Amino acid sequence: STRLGPPRLAAKAAPGRNTPATAPVSQQDADFWAEKKRDITYLLESPWFDVGLSIVILLNAVTIGIEQTLEIHSQDTIVIRIVESCFLVVYMVELGLRFFPKGFACFREAWFRFDFLLVFMGILQSWVIEPINMDSSNFGPLMVLRIARLFRLAKTMRLLSRSQACWMLVRGFMNSANIMFYSFIILFLTLYVFACLACEIITKNTLNSVDVDEVFHTQAEMHWSSLPQIMLTLVRFVCLDNMSEVYKVLVERDPWLSVYFVMLILVVSLVLFHLLGAVIFSSVMEQHL
């Protein structure tokens, strides 16, 4: 027994001869979890998973609208809140599936951080604030948690990235963000200049008096009495919203005001917006050429 060891021990000690039956347990566990990670990754990349998640997101958006309607009419929303919790569980499961294959490396992805923030705010609002009967209307910042639920619709942008046509539209919109910001600045400055000019030629007009012209005065008081109100009135020219109601009476009483309104329509309603549309279109085309 001292010269020849047991055959089983000798075979076990020989290197490189492990079989599946005698392989280390840790290696078997590693292979098992690696296979599970591959399966979950395949599931996440499946188009059917994206379709199912999109349906869940759209249904959640519908339930949010139903809940808002019921709250406006002071009706019970307990069923909708239960359904909302079910949606929240689905989002937690989806977040866990995405976390499992990569671990904390998922937090390097902007979409994962965005989804994690939405799920966290959903848990805080649905399972922490509402159970303790805290009235969010009396605590302004908590209203943000309820409004933030609508940002779940933004999750569909990630799903739309698989569709070339839809993603082209979404990408064009995102690439136009800077242009839209500067467009707002230019539009605001343009309206401000025309509003200051309107103060001089309309608000301070000699006809703007009850004793001189009551009709002109009534129209001026309604739409042209102060700078903020004038800028709000000029927004109607931006949107082409029944502009004649604003300027018709004034032009009839003072024909020289037609010069002002013609310049306003040409610059704001026609040239400015057509120019901005052309710039945005050119920017989108450059991104895809």
Side-chain angles (χ1 to χ4, degrees):
S1 61
T2 60
R3 289 179 301 174
L4 298 175
R8 289 182 302 173
L9 294 178
K12 187 175 182 179
R17 301 176 58 181
N18 291 336
T19 62
T22 60
V25 178
S26 59
Q27 183 63 34
Q28 293 181 358
D29 292 341
D31 295 340
F32 173 79
W33 290 115
E35 182 179 359
K36 294 301 180 183
K37 290 180 180 180
R38 288 193 297 268
D39 294 339
I40 293 177
T41 302
Y42 177 78
L43 175 64
L44 294 175
E45 295 177 353
S46 172
W48 293 106
F49 182 83
D50 292 341
V51 171
L53 186 60
S54 299
I55 294 175
V56 170
I57 294 173
L58 294 177
L59 291 176
N60 191 192
V62 172
T63 57
I64 290 175
I66 295 175
E67 181 182 7
Q68 297 294 335
T69 303
L70 294 177
E71 289 179 349
I72 290 175
H73 296 284
S74 301
Q75 298 182 10
D76 188 21
T77 60
I78 183 64
V79 176
I80 300 298
R81 292 182 180 180
I82 294 175
V83 175
E84 175 70 20
S85 296
C86 295
F87 284 123
L88 191 57
V89 171
V90 173
Y91 296 140
M92 293 175 62
V93 171
E94 187 247 345
L95 202 66
L97 291 176
R98 292 172 57 192
F99 178 82
F100 180 73
K102 299 181 181 180
F104 287 97
C106 289
F107 285 94
R108 299 174 183 174
E109 302 177 3
W111 280 115
F112 186 87
R113 296 195 299 269
F114 177 73
D115 292 343
F116 180 82
L117 180 62
L118 290 180
V119 171
F120 174 77
M121 290 191 297
I123 293 174
L124 186 62
Q125 189 264 328
S126 298
W127 295 350
V128 177
I129 296 176
E130 289 185 354
I132 62 178
N133 295 322
M134 182 177 293
D135 187 3
S136 60
S137 62
N138 294 331
F139 194 51
L142 296 181
M143 297 273 304
V144 178
L145 298 177
R146 296 176 60 84
I147 299 174
R149 296 181 301 173
L150 298 175
F151 286 105
R152 294 173 184 171
L153 292 174
K155 290 165 64 70
T156 56
M157 296 177 62
R158 174 171 56 87
L159 305 178
L160 291 176
S161 61
R162 298 182 180 273
S163 174
Q164 184 177 1
C166 293
W167 180 242
M168 183 177 68
L169 296 175
V170 174
R171 185 179 178 183
F173 178 81
M174 296 173 64
N175 291 333
S176 302
N178 290 335
I179 297 178
M180 288 188 291
F181 173 76
Y182 291 113
S183 299
F184 171 78
I185 299 298
I186 294 175
L187 178 61
F188 177 84
L189 294 177
T190 304
L191 294 183
Y192 182 79
V193 171
F194 274 98
C196 293
L197 183 59
C199 286
E200 295 294 331
I201 64 176
I202 298 178
T203 308
K204 299 179 181 180
N205 195 299
T206 56
L207 298 177
N208 188 15
S209 174
V210 179
D211 299 331
V212 178
D213 194 327
E214 184 178 357
V215 176
F216 189 100
H217 175 74
T218 302
Q219 188 74 2
E221 285 295 316
M222 185 180 302
H223 300 291
W224 311 89
S225 60
S226 63
L227 186 63
Q229 188 181 43
I230 293 174
M231 294 191 67
L232 184 61
T233 300
L234 295 182
V235 173
R236 301 181 65 169
F237 289 84
V238 175
C239 305
L240 301 177
D241 181 19
N242 195 11
M243 301 177 296
S244 61
E245 180 183 347
V246 175
Y247 68 79
K248 183 179 180 181
V249 175
L250 301 180
V251 173
E252 289 176 349
R253 293 299 192 275
D254 187 356
W256 285 106
L257 292 178
S258 60
V259 178
Y260 168 81
F261 289 109
V262 169
M263 292 298 299
L264 177 63
I265 294 173
L266 288 177
V267 174
V268 176
S269 303
L270 299 179
V271 177
L272 183 60
F273 267 81
H274 283 79
L275 179 62
L276 294 178
V279 172
I280 294 175
F281 177 78
S282 176
S283 175
V284 173
M285 293 302 295
E286 288 177 358
Q287 297 293 330
H288 299 281
L289 293 180

